Amino acid sequence: MVSNHWAFAFGVLGNIVSFIVFLSPIPTFYNIYKKKSTEGYQSIPYVVALFSSMLWIYYALLKSNMPLLITINSFGMFIETIYVGLYLLYAPKKARVQTIKMLMLSVVGGFGAIVLVTEFLFKGVVRGQVVGWICLIFSLCVFVAPLGIVRKVIKTKSVEYMPLLLSVFLTLSAVMWFFYGLLLKDINIAAPNVLGFIFGILQIVLYAIYSKKEKVILKEQKLPEIQTPAVIVKNENMMNTNKKLPELTQEQIIDIVKLGLLVCSDKTQVATCPNDTNCGVKNTNNNVVNMPKLQTVA
């Protein structure tokens, strides 16, 4: 009796956590809706979760004493249908075709075949056991499905396409449903959640590792951007403060004037001193020039 009360308590907690699990992809699909693109997201986890919810409802109906399984998986089937619909709406053509194939193969063909086979080939308790083992297998698939994203995280060293909330709540959900199945002595419920807990911890650890690496890479990429404006500002200041030409020494100015006078001395004599009078500039053969008094440039 006590175990049944504890089982009910863990079942209620499992419903609450699983409810959050089903809602955790909402930020992901909000981004998909906002960008009008599925980008690198995959539909496999949502299709598998939809199929799994349908199977667990069928199993709970056969067992007749598991209303908590029916409530949460009914909600799961509803919300996963919405997710898959949104994915099909915004996915590129190739991903859309693959998703439709998975839906036809699993939800329509697979679930329909399981119901037909178990209804006609098995009776009573055996039917429930067979369906239970099928549920166990596909529950493992639900927890294994995110491994595709885990592989992508390891390959790209980026956690962009691995939602942390989903990993955390899947781990908590696995704990609750494990104790629920254990207290009810139902191995079909308890066993897959052991693997679910392990995979959930793995995803959380990977997120912690690669999110830190991403932050380090972003800081390294931003360093040149921090240095560049400082250099630009310095150049602008130099341009503003050095508007004057560099100062010339008195000797340099004298040399420039001498050169100009020597070049123009013949022309000056013809124009101003036709009778060879003293005009301030002597014959170029004497190489003597009366220089004007110069002032140092400040």
Side-chain angles (χ1 to χ4, degrees):
M1 251 337 254
V2 176
S3 62
N4 288 336
H5 289 305
W6 278 107
F8 180 79
F10 277 106
V12 171
L13 291 173
N15 268 254
I16 295 171
V17 177
S18 296
F19 180 81
I20 299 173
V21 168
F22 285 129
L23 293 180
S24 61
I26 285 179
T28 298
F29 280 92
Y30 176 75
N31 289 332
I32 290 175
Y33 168 76
K34 191 175 180 180
K35 296 180 180 179
K36 309 299 181 186
S37 171
T38 56
E39 295 184 326
Y41 295 105
Q42 298 179 359
S43 63
I44 296 174
Y46 310 106
V47 174
V48 174
L50 174 61
F51 186 32
S52 178
S53 294
M54 295 171 67
L55 282 176
W56 281 113
I57 291 173
Y58 182 44
Y59 177 70
L61 290 172
L62 292 175
K63 298 290 286 187
S64 72
N65 64 340
M66 296 182 176
L68 293 175
L69 275 182
I70 295 174
T71 55
I72 190 59
N73 284 289
S74 296
F75 176 75
M77 187 174 66
F78 169 74
I79 196 70
E80 295 296 340
T81 301
I82 293 176
Y83 292 154
V84 173
L86 287 172
Y87 189 91
L88 289 173
L89 183 63
Y90 295 111
K93 184 177 179 181
K94 184 177 179 181
R96 188 183 299 119
V97 171
Q98 290 177 345
T99 303
I100 292 173
K101 287 180 179 179
M102 284 190 294
L103 285 172
M104 296 299 294
L105 183 64
S106 60
V107 176
V108 179
F111 183 75
I114 289 170
V115 172
L116 289 174
V117 169
T118 54
E119 286 293 330
F120 286 103
L121 296 182
F122 303 100
K123 303 293 182 182
V125 179
V126 177
R127 181 187 299 161
Q129 291 176 345
V130 172
V131 175
W133 279 102
I134 295 172
C135 288
L136 187 152
I137 294 170
F138 281 98
S139 291
L140 294 176
C141 292
V142 171
F143 294 117
V144 172
L147 288 181
I149 299 175
V150 168
R151 179 177 174 273
K152 189 168 186 176
V153 169
I154 296 173
K155 185 178 180 180
T156 61
K157 294 180 173 56
S158 172
V159 294
E160 182 180 0
Y161 300 113
M162 188 175 73
L164 178 62
L165 283 177
L166 183 60
S167 301
V168 171
F169 285 111
L170 276 174
T171 306
L172 292 175
S173 177
V175 173
M176 300 304 171
W177 288 112
F178 168 77
F179 284 108
Y180 177 77
L182 185 67
L183 292 169
L184 289 180
K185 299 178 181 179
D186 192 323
I187 191 174
N188 298 321
I189 299 174
N193 286 289
V194 175
L195 191 60
F197 175 77
I198 295 171
F199 285 157
I201 294 296
L202 173 64
Q203 292 178 61
I204 294 171
V205 170
L206 285 175
Y207 190 94
I209 293 172
Y210 288 108
S211 62
K212 289 181 180 178
K213 289 186 177 180
E214 274 189 345
K215 290 178 182 178
V216 171
I217 292 171
L218 288 174
K219 286 181 180 179
E220 290 176 353
Q221 290 176 345
K222 287 180 180 179
L223 285 176
E225 297 177 2
I226 296 172
Q227 293 176 353
T228 302
V231 175
I232 294 174
V233 171
K234 184 176 180 181
N235 289 338
E236 289 178 352
N237 292 335
M238 291 177 65
M239 291 175 66
N240 291 332
T241 56
N242 295 333
K243 290 181 180 179
K244 296 181 179 180
L245 293 173
E247 296 181 356
L248 298 175
T249 63
Q250 186 172 2
E251 290 77 7
Q252 289 174 330
I253 295 173
I254 292 172
D255 291 339
I256 293 171
V257 173
K258 282 182 178 181
L259 181 62
L261 290 173
L262 289 173
V263 171
C264 300
S265 60
D266 291 337
K267 294 181 180 179
T268 303
Q269 282 185 340
V270 173
T272 61
C273 304
N275 298 322
D276 195 19
T277 59
N278 187 11
C279 298
V281 180
K282 292 186 178 181
N283 195 333
T284 56
N285 294 329
N286 296 328
N287 293 327
V288 179
V289 180
N290 292 330
M291 301 302 302
K293 187 176 182 180
L294 301 174
Q295 296 179 354
T296 304
V297 178

